[in-house]
Amino acid sequence: MNDQNEEFDVLIYIDQLLNPDPIEPDRQVEAAITLAKLNDSEYREKIFEALIFSMNSPYALLRSHAAESLGEIGDQRAVPYLINALFDPYKLVRSYSVRALGKLGDEKAKDCLLKTLRDDPFFGARAEAAEALRKIVPKVTIESKKEIMEAIEAHKEAEKKSNDERSKRVLNEMDSALDDLREILYEINRSVKKLKMNKGEYILALTNKGMDIVNETENNADRLGGLISRRT
C-alpha cells in the first residue's frame, strides 16, 4: 500500500466512525480496529477524536474496540474516558478498557483498577485488572506499590472462595502481578539498604578523616610547643 492509498484509507475509516452507518455497524468496528494500526502522525489527532467519539456509540462492540484501540495508540488523554468506561453495562467494554489502561500505565487509574478487580462481576474484567495493575506497578510510587500488593493479596483469598472455574484465569493474573511486585519491592529494599550502608560508610570515613585531622593538629601543637620550650 503506498502513502496516498493509506492516507485515503485513514480518512475513510475516520469518516466511518464520525458518521456511522446504523445499518452496517461492523464496518465501524473494523474501522476502530484498523485505525490503531494506521496511527499515522499526520492524522493522530483525528484518529484520537474519532475513537473518543466512538466510546459513546450505542453499539457496544464498537465501544469495546474503540477502547482497545485507544490503548494501542498510547495517548494519555484517553485515560479519563477509559476510566469512565469501567462502569459501562457491557462486560467487554469494561474488559477492553481495563486492558487499555494497563497499556497506558497511568497511576490515576490505580483506584479504579483495584475496584474492578474487587467488584466487577465479569471474570474477564477482573483478570484484565490484575494484569493492568501489574503493568502500572513500575510507574507508581512505593506506597502505591505496597497498596496494590496488599489489595491483590486480600482479594486473592476472596477469589479462591468463589469456587468458580473461570476464577483460575483471575488467580493466575494475580499471581503474576504479585510475583512482579515482590521482585520490585525486594530490589527497592535492597537498594535502600545498600544506600544506607554506603551512607554509613561515608559518614565513618568522614569521622575517621576528622579524627586524623584532630590527631595531626594535636601532634603539630605538641611539636610547636616543644620548639617553643627549647627556644625559651
Side-chain angles (χ1 to χ4, degrees):
M1 181 187 297
N2 60 40
D3 291 343
Q4 189 173 2
N5 288 338
E6 183 171 318
E7 177 182 349
F8 182 68
D9 286 345
V10 170
L11 293 174
I12 286 178
Y13 290 132
I14 290 173
D15 183 68
Q16 286 176 348
L17 293 184
L18 296 178
N19 301 288
D21 183 351
I23 299 175
E24 295 185 286
D26 288 345
R27 285 192 176 184
Q28 298 156 44
V29 172
E30 180 188 358
I33 294 171
T34 308
L35 281 174
K37 302 172 185 176
L38 300 175
N39 190 29
D40 186 275
S41 58
E42 184 180 355
Y43 295 100
R44 191 164 293 159
E45 187 66 23
K46 291 181 187 260
I47 291 172
F48 175 77
E49 291 172 358
L51 291 171
I52 292 296
F53 179 81
S54 298
M55 290 292 290
N56 293 314
S57 169
Y59 187 32
L61 194 58
L62 175 57
R63 298 197 304 274
S64 303
H65 287 287
E68 183 179 38
S69 291
L70 284 169
E72 293 290 340
I73 66 175
D75 194 318
Q76 295 294 323
R77 293 176 298 168
V79 169
Y81 299 95
L82 292 167
I83 288 176
N84 187 58
L86 298 182
F87 303 95
D88 195 283
Y90 186 52
K91 61 185 180 182
L92 282 184
V93 176
R94 302 195 304 274
S95 185
Y96 286 12
S97 295
V98 167
R99 183 186 303 172
L101 287 168
K103 289 182 177 179
L104 292 174
D106 195 309
E107 186 173 6
K108 291 193 291 290
K110 180 198 67 176
D111 291 340
C112 289
L113 290 173
L114 287 172
K115 178 173 173 48
T116 298
L117 179 66
R118 184 180 66 247
D119 298 334
D120 199 290
F122 178 45
F123 77 97
R126 298 198 304 276
E128 292 287 356
E131 183 177 1
L133 287 164
R134 177 173 63 84
K135 288 179 178 177
I136 72 169
V137 157
K139 304 176 183 179
V140 301
T141 64
I142 295 177
E143 290 73 19
S144 291
K145 286 177 174 61
K146 292 178 180 178
E147 181 186 354
I148 290 171
M149 185 171 181
E150 290 171 1
I152 292 177
E153 286 177 334
H155 186 65
K156 183 178 175 182
E157 296 306 312
E159 195 75 39
K160 284 179 180 178
K161 293 176 182 177
S162 68
N163 293 321
D164 187 340
E165 185 68 21
R166 295 170 299 180
S167 288
K168 286 184 178 179
R169 182 188 165 199
V170 184
L171 290 168
N172 286 338
E173 293 295 349
M174 285 181 172
D175 286 337
S176 295
L178 288 171
D179 287 343
D180 283 3
L181 274 161
R182 291 186 185 108
E183 183 176 352
I184 290 171
L185 290 173
Y186 170 78
E187 290 298 331
I188 290 172
N189 288 333
R190 191 173 73 165
S191 297
V192 169
K193 287 179 181 178
K194 188 174 181 181
L195 183 63
K196 287 180 178 178
M197 181 183 70
N198 290 342
K199 184 178 179 182
E201 290 175 350
Y202 179 68
I203 292 172
L204 179 62
L206 286 179
T207 303
N208 291 336
K209 182 66 175 176
M211 290 304 299
D212 289 342
I213 292 171
V214 170
N215 292 333
E216 185 177 353
T217 302
E218 289 177 347
N219 291 335
N220 289 338
D222 290 341
R223 285 196 295 271
L224 182 60
L227 286 172
I228 294 171
S229 297
R230 286 198 294 275
R231 289 181 179 181
T232 55

